Amino acid sequence: MIVEKAGEVLEKYRLCDHCLGRLFAKLGKGTNEERGRAVRFVLNMERSAEGLEPIKEPDECGLCHNVFDRIPELVETMKKASEGIEFETFLVGSRFPEEIREKERAIWGEFGIDTAEPINREFNRELGKAFGRATGKETSKEPDVVFIVEPFSGNVELQINPIYVYGRYRKLVRGIPQTPLPDFEDSVASIICRAFSRAFVGKCVFKGAGREDVDVRMLGNGRPFIVEVKSPKRRKVNLENVAEEINASGKVEVLNLRFVSAKEAEEVLTKNHRKEYLALVLVEEGVTPEEAEEVAKKLTGLEIHQRTPWRVRKARADRVRVRKVHEAEARWVDGKHFELRLVTDGGLYIKELISGDKGRTKPSVTDLLGKNAWCERLDVLNILDE
């Protein structure tokens, strides 16, 4: 039946072995060209037995116009397009004129063929194999680069996939924002991204898992972050060297840098972390050691209802968030100060937990003390993953 069907098609359409074999791509093993050559050979044996002329492979295919013969030159174009780019894995995609795709589908419909594959799929595969042989690179479902080829014009578009790096940062000084702001020379993001951009020769995008205020330090085990490097020309980078450059700033320190997938990067940024804080609380009316201890005792295990703080109302949706204080410990400092160590759910605003934010946070340290309290200094001690 295959030979009979092939004979019907070839009586009407002049097809090369690639295009003939592709009609039966889902049958048997081997390349479509090998399949087409075998089908044509058997068909012509039968035609010879019947005294008919053989149907030879045409000088020019009526469907693909011998596009597969262009593969060697396209491989060279791909090599030129990727000069100076470090990569180990790749994928090939192609853009075929719609009239060829339509003609191919029309042939399938006319002869009731349901064992075929599209021309672009075979072309991508064969071009990929040829490029791999020529360069030693390998194809991958998550490639470093993607070549988009226009087979007839010879245009090759190179898409360089981004690199994702996970790390944790410590902000060792006050007075620098996490991301660039007017009137600030530096930020955590700019210090980190300068080193990454230089190392990978690409555009760096910094994404922190949460943020701290300009006047708050981030200490301890550091805040998780992701760096996305877009269109990197280099991929074989020693992350320890990148860390050394960042850490030399004296302002920001990075830990545990490692390459991750896009999926892992997303998980890091969407995970909600508990946080450990150390706040220096100011009570102008005065505070005793006993009062400080009592506040910590009352805070432990307490559920806090916090309306979006007044200071961030323009940047955050105005709603009430419910967060929990898991641990609280107090250390009296002097007649007006005590330190408060807190472990809380992520997303609880600590400054407002202390001040009450004019009643927007309930209960607050101000409520529990019965005296106005303010956060004079705040550090994030740890981001707790578990």
Side-chain angles (χ1 to χ4, degrees), residues 207-225:
K207 303 169 185 178
R211 58 196 305 136
E212 66 283 329
D213 290 340
V214 170
D215 60 343
V216 175
R217 293 185 300 175
M218 176 65 242
L219 306 175
N221 63 355
R223 184 181 296 280
F225 71 92

Side-chain angles (χ1 to χ4, degrees), residues 18-29:
H18 280 279
C19 292
L20 175 60
R22 197 167 58 255
L23 296 176
F24 311 103
K26 296 178 183 177
L27 305 175
K29 296 182 178 180

Side-chain angles (χ1 to χ4, degrees), residues 72 85 87 121 174 230 274 288 314 321 331 357 368 381:
I85 307 297
F87 69 99
R121 192 176 299 170
R174 305 184 197 281
K230 297 184 176 183
R274 288 186 183 182
T288 66
K314 293 180 181 178
R321 296 167 177 82
R331 187 182 74 84
D357 198 23
L368 299 177
L381 296 184

Side-chain angles (χ1 to χ4, degrees), residues 36-207:
R37 191 180 299 126
V39 169
R40 193 186 303 271
F41 179 77
V42 175
L43 170 65
N44 284 334
M45 285 178 64
E46 291 190 359
R47 290 177 66 87
S48 177
E50 296 170 12
L52 300 173
E53 289 292 317
I55 301 178
K56 297 180 180 179
E57 188 174 22
D59 292 335
E60 181 175 331
C61 177
L63 177 59
C64 78
H65 306 290
N66 297 4
V67 73
F68 289 89
D69 293 344
R70 300 200 62 191
I71 283 178
E73 94 182 60
L74 289 170
V75 166
E76 294 305 311
T77 306
M78 290 164 67
K79 286 163 70 174
K80 287 180 182 176
S82 56
E83 278 180 359
I85 307 297
E86 278 187 358
F87 69 99
E88 293 302 321
T89 58
F90 71 97
L91 267 185
V92 175
S94 57
R95 297 190 185 107
F96 271 82
E98 189 55 34
E99 56 265 29
I100 289 180
R101 302 284 298 276
E102 287 178 358
K103 185 173 183 179
E104 181 174 62
R105 289 192 291 266
I107 293 173
W108 300 347
E110 183 179 349
F111 294 95
I113 292 170
D114 58 7
T115 55
E117 74 170 343
I119 186 171
N120 61 306
R121 192 176 299 170
E122 180 190 7
F123 186 82
N124 297 347
R125 184 172 60 248
E126 295 303 318
L127 180 56
K129 288 193 291 189
F131 184 77
R133 287 193 297 268
T135 61
K137 310 295 184 183
E138 295 184 356
T139 57
S140 168
K141 290 182 179 179
E142 295 183 355
D144 296 336
V145 298
V146 178
F147 294 92
I148 305 298
V149 179
E150 295 178 359
F152 294 99
S153 70
N155 289 334
V156 172
E157 176 186 324
L158 180 65
Q159 297 177 359
I160 306 173
N161 284 336
I163 285 172
Y164 297 92
V165 177
Y166 163 88
R168 302 178 84 105
Y169 76 81
R170 295 186 184 125
K171 191 175 84 176
L172 306 177
V173 298
R174 305 184 197 281
I176 59 171
Q178 187 191 71
T179 53
L181 287 176
D183 304 323
F184 288 91
E185 182 182 343
D186 261 332
S187 67
V188 173
S190 63
I191 291 170
I192 290 175
C193 277
R194 274 197 296 271
F196 272 90
S197 294
R198 192 157 32 237
F200 287 91
V201 192
K203 182 182 178 183
C204 170
V205 179
F206 173 92
K207 303 169 185 178

